[in-house]
Amino acid sequence: GRWFRAISVAVVQGMLAGIGLVLIAGQLYALADAKAPGSGLANIGSLPGLVADTVRSASALSAFAVGAGTIAVLVLWPRWQRAAQILPAPLAAVALATTAVWALSLPVAKIKVSGLLDAIQPPGLADLGKLTEVGVIGTVLAFTLIASAESLFSAAAVDRLHDGPRTDYDKELMAQGAGNAVCGVLGALPMTAVIVRSAANVQAGAKTKASRVLHGVWLLVFAAAFPAALGVVPVAALAGILVHSGWKLIPRRELVPLWREHRGEAVVLSVTAIAIVVVGMFEGVLIGLLMAVAKTAWETSHVHLEIHTPDDEAEPVLVRAVGNATFLRLPKILDQLDALPTGRDVELDLTGLRHLDHA
């Protein structure tokens, strides 16, 4: 797991930006009680249609008003410091939105929570027998690799969002493996860490690892014991919270200074974000990492030829190479060597090179 520490900051910021964009694009549909088309790119492309449908529907406008009001409370509530110390902004926003929907009898969709115990379906003996099949084993390994990578990518991103203790990646992997073993026994879907809830945890002021445990505990308590309480919460209110969280994930203030000072890093950030929107988080981060590696290889392969041409044609031309000579700079080196005077000996000094590959 410790290898995931070697992730470019630009890739991490690009991952946050990409996830933020995907989150906003997807939750804008829930903000109007509409169904999102699916992928991030499709969600963004269908936004004009969403606007047109929302304007023509009274119920969609009501849901949008609830979501917009939720976002407004999230933005304004922290400015009321005394109240913010007692009640967190997200909780206040959901409570006010729920109260408004109930008081005004607004026709908006609400959360549907089914019985938790009914969802527990342990695998039977026939299912366990399939674990010997090559296809099933391959699927298990694929899920393990992708889920582990996404969790550790998220952990690396969260570490950039706070100043507290850093993530122990090996423990994170072992904990996820133990949790997924329990999920398999209960017949549940595999679990993985996600940046959205983790970022929301940081933004809420979490200080210790107990916060993420309590996050799961409260979800379990409410889903198991108080499903009816969750059933009165409007979907648009939760969508508003997620839109606000997605907006805060985008590094807006850092992008302009980064472009001015380190354009290569800004390009890596942008490519990572766009790739996540187009193809997904896992593939997008891999593309960003490849871009970061390529950029680093290009920047560290600088080589300079110091050429001294004596007036006496009987003496050789002195060429001293300084830097890192790699195949990436081979065209430049050959152009400079081809430009040397013809018919004269050349003395090549390679003592100034820090690296020389076989190119």
Side-chain angles (χ1 to χ4, degrees):
R2 57 193 178 92
W3 290 103
F4 280 82
R5 293 180 178 178
I7 298 179
S8 166
V9 176
V11 174
V12 172
Q13 291 181 326
M15 181 179 74
L16 293 174
I19 293 173
L21 291 172
V22 171
L23 186 62
I24 292 172
Q27 293 304 314
L28 284 176
Y29 291 86
L31 209 64
D33 281 350
K35 185 178 180 181
S39 65
L41 199 60
N43 290 344
I44 294 175
S46 301
L47 286 178
L50 173 66
V51 174
D53 294 340
T54 302
V55 172
R56 292 193 296 263
S57 172
S59 60
L61 286 174
S62 298
F64 181 79
V66 171
T70 302
I71 296 174
V73 173
L74 289 172
V75 174
L76 299 176
W77 189 264
R79 299 182 182 181
W80 189 8
Q81 296 183 358
R82 182 174 298 179
Q85 292 176 353
I86 300 174
L87 192 63
L91 188 57
V94 171
L96 290 173
T98 303
T99 303
V101 169
W102 171 78
L104 300 175
S105 300
L106 297 177
V108 299
K110 298 180 178 63
I111 297 176
K112 295 180 181 179
V113 181
S114 57
L116 185 63
L117 295 178
D118 296 336
I120 299 177
Q121 298 178 355
L125 294 178
D127 297 320
L128 295 176
K130 294 181 180 180
L131 292 176
T132 58
E133 298 178 7
V134 176
V136 174
I137 294 175
T139 302
V140 170
L141 293 176
F143 268 106
T144 302
L145 175 62
I146 295 174
S148 300
E150 289 197 2
S151 292
L152 296 184
F153 285 146
S154 298
V158 172
D159 281 347
R160 305 281 183 181
L161 298 177
H162 66 88
D163 299 325
R166 304 293 95 179
T167 300
D168 187 324
Y169 293 91
D170 293 335
K171 286 185 178 180
E172 193 74 23
L173 283 178
M174 289 187 289
Q176 180 165 300
N180 276 326
V182 175
C183 289
V185 171
L186 298 177
L189 292 173
M191 67 177 186
T192 179
V194 290
I195 186 62
V196 178
R197 285 193 289 272
S198 301
N201 208 16
V202 173
Q203 293 164 7
K207 299 297 182 183
T208 67
K209 295 179 180 179
S211 59
R212 60 183 180 181
V213 177
L214 289 174
H215 172 85
V217 169
W218 290 122
L219 283 176
L220 178 62
V221 168
F222 274 91
F226 308 106
L230 296 177
V232 300
V233 177
V235 173
L238 296 186
I241 291 178
L242 291 175
V243 168
H244 182 259
S245 297
W247 177 254
K248 295 183 73 173
L249 287 177
I250 302 174
R252 306 174 305 280
R253 297 179 181 177
E254 293 85 355
L255 190 56
V256 174
L258 190 65
W259 176 258
R260 292 174 180 171
E261 300 173 8
H262 306 283
R263 293 197 174 183
E265 295 290 319
V267 170
V268 171
L269 187 157
S270 302
V271 169
T272 304
I274 294 172
I276 288 175
V277 172
V278 175
V279 297
M281 174 181 164
F282 183 70
E283 298 87 347
V285 171
L286 290 182
I287 292 173
L289 287 174
L290 291 176
M291 283 284 298
V293 170
K295 182 189 76 69
T296 302
W298 177 260
E299 291 180 347
T300 57
S301 64
H302 285 299
V303 63
H304 173 65
L305 296 184
E306 298 176 353
I307 301 174
H308 175 65
T309 306
D311 295 333
D312 187 354
E313 295 186 358
E315 296 183 14
V317 177
L318 303 178
V319 179
R320 184 172 185 268
V322 180
N324 298 302
T326 69
F327 70 95
L328 295 173
R329 300 292 179 173
L330 189 58
K332 176 183 176 181
I333 296 174
L334 293 178
D335 287 342
Q336 290 181 285
L337 293 177
D338 289 340
L340 295 177
T342 58
R344 296 185 62 171
D345 293 334
V346 176
E347 182 178 319
L348 187 60
D349 181 6
L350 302 180
T351 58
L353 290 179
R354 293 187 295 272
H355 173 76
L356 177 66
D357 64 16
H358 293 288

